Amino acid sequence: MYTHHVRVHRSEEGLRREEQLAWRIAEVAAERLDPADDVVDMVINRVIDNAAVATASLGRAPVLAARAQAEAHGPSSGGSGATITGSQHRTSPEWAAWANGVAVRELDYHDTFLAAEYSHPGDNIPPLLAVAQHTGAPGEALVRGIVTGYEVQVDLARAISLHAHKIDHVAHLGPSAAAGLGTLLGLDAATVYQAVGQALHTTTATRQSRKGEISTWKAYAPAFAGKAAVEAVDRAMRGQTSPSPIYEGEDGVIAWLLDGPDADYAVPLPGPGEPRRAILDTYTKEHSAEYQAQAWIDLARRLGRERPELRDPSLVERVVLHTSHHTHTVIGSGSGDPQKYDPAASRETLDHSIPYIFTVALQDGAWHHVDSYARERSGRPDTVALWRKVTTAEDPEWTRRYHATDPAEKAFGGRLELVLTSGETVTAEIAVADAHPLGARPFARADYVRKLRTLAEGVLADAEVDRFLDVAQRLPDLRPDELGGLTVTPLADPARTAPATRGIF
């Protein structure tokens, strides 16, 4: 890896294109490298993971709305179209990226990478798969594109914080998806450079989508970025240009949306010929909840089984979760969001409330992607009473570990301090989730397969799951005509029984 230093440049300085971050990203995308076997295996795992969480969300309103929008657009003239998860229709690739991106993201249940910024790198897969299907690319090209998408998003997330300035994390996804598409299509650096600039320019938005009463847009935001990336690449291939320098310009993203004129970022990127292995530093979710809650769910489940009396709010005086700054201020009581303690809050809000998540996991000794968020569950009196006794506190040591670059030090958990009315204090800590690569039960291929089979129960026929797994596990060797098999068809189409909605399309 080499480090590319990024700072704001005044117009009169004349920053050369080849010295800009967007160009460095484009160079990574334009180099054709065959990924290592363990990287390819992880790509397959994440394709399976995305299918699992998309399957579980097929009947949810945001997914059905996005699907209806996509189905209103037939395949464009440049190819054969792309599949829509759960649908018999094909559509143009940007609309498939949109619909499938919402399905993947709706339950907040796929992979994650956390560093200076947080991200869900699996969001790169829907736009890349859609374009591969539409253009007739082979499986090996799709694999290389996904590897690039992960590499660029992870490298940006390592170095450039967006949330510190209340910019949504999909501002790293637009450029990474554009770069991945460049690799997939074999584009030169000059074309990818323009696409990266356009994708960044059109995907910078505020973090209000993840603040307060969180709306259905939370699932749409990455889908919008993926759709924008497809459109940006199309324009760049037609010779259209983008704002430049998009990162470093005196009126650019860094100067006005991020750290300002005095900013200086050190972005790690692979050098020529270096393998792209960033996907191996990412981690998926065993539980349908914000990633910083994963370890706390595991700790709460264990404590609830070992000490069932801790589930009784009449016996508990207070619970404090000592954790990182990010966990405290984004999904904890440090956010200042009263909605995080509201039994009537949306699922999206409860998903971002560690006091709620910890309480339910403690009381139930389990976590379920639907039942744990049900209104009757969040409104249960004993749950509400205990929930409102749970707060978070920032601990500098856990903040340090959250930002550690050494994988053995990096952690997303914390230390529990639970005080009983008897005066007893129960303490425990957990660094990483059980499913984390360094956790108690690291996820392997069998776990990804089991996750798909579990989430597909009652939604897909067993034969359909087997068919999809056969296709997905042959991904590097798939012919272009076989890529259309990377979708699923449910036993019963939820769109047929869902309330009809109308829009413009």
Side-chain angles (χ1 to χ4, degrees):
M1 301 291 284
Y2 74 91
T3 300
H4 180 69
H5 290 277
V6 186
R7 67 173 178 85
V8 174
H9 288 251
R10 298 186 307 278
S11 295
E12 60 267 23
E13 291 184 74
L15 179 64
R16 293 190 314 117
R17 182 178 68 171
E18 292 75 16
E19 296 174 353
Q20 297 173 27
L21 177 57
W23 182 267
R24 298 297 192 194
I25 291 171
E27 287 183 320
V28 171
E31 188 175 18
R32 189 189 186 283
L33 296 177
D34 292 326
D37 290 345
D38 55 349
V39 171
V40 174
D41 285 345
M42 190 57 73
V43 169
I44 294 171
N45 288 342
R46 299 309 167 78
V47 169
I48 295 171
D49 200 45
N50 273 20
V53 298
T55 295
S57 72
L58 287 180
R60 298 179 65 82
V63 177
L64 291 172
R67 170 183 161 181
Q69 289 182 307
E71 288 177 342
H73 297 79
S76 51
S77 60
S80 58
T83 59
I84 303 169
T85 304
S87 171
Q88 295 297 316
H89 289 70
R90 279 193 174 232
T91 185
S92 57
E94 77 278 15
W95 283 105
W98 169 256
N100 297 335
V102 174
V104 165
R105 191 56 172 280
E106 166 64 11
L107 291 176
D108 208 342
Y109 202 177
H110 61 324
D111 66 13
T112 303
F113 179 76
L114 303 170
E117 184 53 45
Y118 55 89
S119 63
H120 296 276
D123 291 333
N124 286 280
I125 296 175
L128 289 163
L129 174 58
V131 170
Q133 290 177 334
H134 179 71
T135 60
E140 61 170 342
L142 175 58
V143 170
R144 287 196 301 271
I146 292 172
V147 170
T148 293
Y150 270 80
E151 183 68 47
V152 171
Q153 189 168 10
V154 166
D155 292 343
L156 289 172
R158 291 186 201 276
I160 301 177
S161 175
L162 302 169
H163 70 267
H165 304 281
K166 311 308 179 187
I167 300 299
D168 196 31
H169 65 80
V170 300
H172 287 336
L173 174 62
S176 69
L181 289 168
T183 299
L184 166 70
L185 298 172
L187 303 180
D188 58 47
T191 303
V192 180
Y193 165 77
Q194 300 296 347
V196 167
Q198 290 181 31
L200 174 61
H201 186 66
T202 56
T203 57
T204 50
T206 69
R207 271 201 79 255
Q208 191 59 40
S209 59
R210 297 162 213 288
K211 178 73 173 173
E213 183 67 24
I214 302 176
S215 71
T216 58
W217 180 254
K218 182 169 76 74
Y220 284 93
F224 179 84
K227 182 174 182 287
V230 175
E231 294 168 338
V233 171
D234 181 83
R235 287 190 295 269
M237 291 173 68
R238 298 175 190 273
Q240 301 310 297
T241 57
S242 65
S244 174
I246 188 62
Y247 284 102
E248 301 93 344
E250 60 185 351
D251 283 346
V253 170
I254 293 173
W256 287 99
L257 299 181
L258 302 181
D259 278 354
D262 298 325
D264 188 351
Y265 298 109
V267 181
L269 290 168
E274 279 194 89
R276 281 69 164 138
R277 300 182 60 81
I279 191 172
L280 300 179
D281 293 333
T282 64
Y283 18 83
T284 196
K285 296 179 178 181
E286 183 177 2
H287 316 294
S288 177
E290 171 74 11
Y291 192 82
Q292 291 95 317
Q294 300 292 304
W296 289 110
I297 290 173
D298 292 330
L299 179 61
R301 292 190 305 172
R302 185 165 68 248
L303 280 174
R305 291 191 292 264
E306 295 173 353
R307 299 281 303 267
E309 74 274 14
L310 303 182
R311 300 168 172 174
D312 186 346
S314 69
L315 301 179
V316 176
E317 181 177 321
R318 67 180 181 273
V319 182
V320 182
L321 310 181
H322 299 269
T323 187
S324 68
H325 171 82
H326 187 84
T327 304
H328 174 55
T329 58
V330 173
I331 64 172
S333 55
S335 68
D337 295 342
Q339 296 90 343
K340 292 194 187 318
Y341 290 91
D342 181 1
S346 66
R347 183 198 189 281
E348 291 84 359
T349 301
L350 296 177
D351 167 74
H352 279 55
S353 170
I354 189 60
Y356 174 76
I357 292 168
F358 181 85
T359 300
V360 173
L362 178 68
Q363 290 187 326
D364 293 356
W367 191 262
H368 190 269
H369 66 285
V370 175
D371 297 345
S372 297
Y373 293 106
R375 185 56 50 87
E376 58 269 23
R377 186 66 195 80
S378 63
R380 211 172 79 185
D382 66 316
T383 296
V384 175
L386 182 56
W387 175 9
R388 291 177 175 167
K389 295 181 180 183
V390 180
T391 60
T392 60
E394 181 184 356
D395 184 312
E397 175 60 13
W398 287 103
T399 297
R400 183 193 69 78
R401 293 191 65 181
Y402 180 100
H403 291 290
T405 56
D406 180 356
E409 277 282 286
K410 198 171 184 64
F412 308 109
R415 177 174 56 86
L416 165 76
E417 184 181 87
L418 188 154
V419 180
L420 295 166
T421 54
S422 65
E424 180 188 0
T425 297
V426 177
T427 60
E429 69 175 44
I430 188 168
V432 295
D434 290 349
H436 186 276
L438 297 179
R441 294 178 286 99
F443 252 44
R445 175 65 55 78
D447 299 291
Y448 290 96
V449 170
R450 183 174 60 253
K451 184 175 177 180
L452 172 59
R453 293 193 184 280
T454 299
L455 295 181
E457 288 179 5
V459 182
L460 306 180
D462 290 344
E464 175 68 351
V465 176
D466 292 340
R467 180 203 62 77
F468 176 85
L469 286 170
D470 172 67
V471 176
Q473 293 182 98
R474 293 189 292 111
L475 178 58
D477 302 317
L478 292 181
R479 302 184 309 270
D481 62 294
E482 294 180 295
L483 281 187
L486 291 175
T487 188
V488 295
T489 302
L491 286 163
D493 187 349
R496 293 182 179 175
T497 55
T501 58
R502 291 298 298 266
I504 294 173
F505 307 133

